Amino acid sequence: GENVEQHPSTLSVQEGDSAVIKCTYSDSASNYFPWYKQELGKRPQLIIDIRSNVGEKKDQRIAVTLNKTAKHFSLHITETQPEDSAVYFCAARLHGSSNTGKLIFGQGTTLQVKP
Amino acid sequence: GAGVSQSPSNKVTEKGKDVELRCDPISGHTALYWYRQSLGQGLEFLIYFQGNSAPDKSGLPSDRFSAERTGGSVSTLTIQRTQQEDSAVYLCASSLVGELFFGEGSRLTVL
């Protein structure tokens, strides 16, 4: 079955610095890789996703890169701000014909941005 | 409301009792997921429903756990003979294409 490993488990950066979170997955048939942000006491929410036919995707200060050969993908946050402090989860999914499928999450990374 | 609704939001029960957790997905969403999140931990996959297909139950931790989805909409997660290690937040999510929309979760405490 699919397994997703996420590192680091905690990350502390100074405001304005960049943050990088890395994930690896086990199933080479996985083709959809979203990232979710969970603020304290709140529900996880999608912040960016990437499909296997794309190597990189960017949305303002966040970007995701995918290396299918190595089976790893990363989240990059630039110019970090205190409101970026949260737990970030990567995930991997095998797409079925319905364009949905079982989504397996990594263990999460607690990001702290110090003012 | 238009979001995923879960009930109860909080449930305290005694060890050995059965509990039922309910999820109302977003109308029209064909996929429904249950996850478990223990304190400070990740999102542990439990079960996935897609339309009328047989559910993927590969994440259910023991035979004390079961879930059903009636009419392709509302889902109920049932935990029989609860144990203290079942204490966690149980999150439901629904999806149509791509993005999962999570509910607020049901916090279960087993005394």
Side-chain angles (χ1 to χ4, degrees):
Chain A
E2 177 66 276
N3 185 47
V4 179
E5 297 288 333
Q6 183 172 346
H7 300 280
S9 57
T10 61
L11 180 59
S12 182
V13 299
Q14 210 65 39
E15 182 177 0
D17 287 351
S18 295
V20 180
I21 303 170
K22 299 182 179 181
C23 289
T24 60
Y25 59 99
S26 60
D27 193 331
S28 57
S30 295
N31 57 12
Y32 174 67
F33 309 93
W35 287 87
Y36 284 77
K37 175 183 180 182
Q38 186 177 31
E39 296 178 354
L40 190 63
K42 296 191 176 181
R43 69 188 85 184
Q45 292 190 304
L46 180 72
I47 55 171
I48 194 168
D49 57 12
I50 192 167
R51 300 182 188 275
S52 59
N53 57 346
V54 175
E56 183 174 357
K57 184 176 179 181
K58 190 173 182 180
D59 182 4
Q60 298 182 1
R61 296 186 297 108
I62 60 173
V64 58
T65 58
L66 171 65
N67 183 327
K68 284 210 72 181
T69 303
K71 292 191 287 187
H72 67 69
F73 56 113
S74 300
L75 177 71
H76 305 252
I77 307 174
T78 58
E79 301 171 26
T80 53
Q81 301 168 3
E83 52 265 37
D84 294 330
S85 296
V87 180
Y88 291 81
F89 293 97
C90 64
R93 179 162 78 195
L94 260 172
H95 261 264
S97 58
S98 61
N99 212 26
T100 62
K102 183 169 75 174
L103 193 66
I104 300 299
F105 285 87
Q107 298 89 334
T109 296
T110 300
L111 173 64
Q112 180 187 31
V113 180
K114 299 177 184 176
Chain B
V4 177
S5 178
Q6 291 188 245
S7 61
S9 55
N10 276 286
K11 176 71 176 179
V12 180
T13 191
E14 293 179 348
K15 177 181 173 181
K17 295 285 179 69
D18 298 351
V19 296
E20 284 190 352
L21 308 177
R22 177 188 168 104
C23 174
D24 281 275
I26 293 172
S27 179
H29 280 193
T30 56
L32 187 146
Y33 305 76
W34 283 98
Y35 291 89
R36 179 168 69 176
Q37 187 170 35
S38 301
L39 188 61
Q41 300 299 308
L43 299 168
E44 177 189 3
F45 169 79
L46 296 178
I47 189 168
Y48 156 63
F49 296 88
Q50 171 56 49
N52 295 320
S53 302
D56 183 333
K57 304 180 182 180
S58 59
L60 295 179
S62 76
D63 58 8
R64 295 187 295 104
F65 288 72
S66 63
E68 61 179 25
R69 188 179 185 193
T70 54
S73 181
V74 171
S75 178
T76 302
L77 177 68
T78 301
I79 309 173
Q80 295 178 309
R81 305 181 302 281
T82 51
Q83 303 294 312
Q84 288 184 331
E85 59 262 30
D86 299 335
S87 297
V89 175
Y90 290 82
L91 287 164
C92 175
S94 71
S95 175
L96 182 60
V97 175
E99 181 175 0
L100 265 62
F101 294 86
F102 284 86
E104 296 280 9
S106 292
R107 181 176 298 277
L108 175 65
T109 303
V110 182
L111 301 177

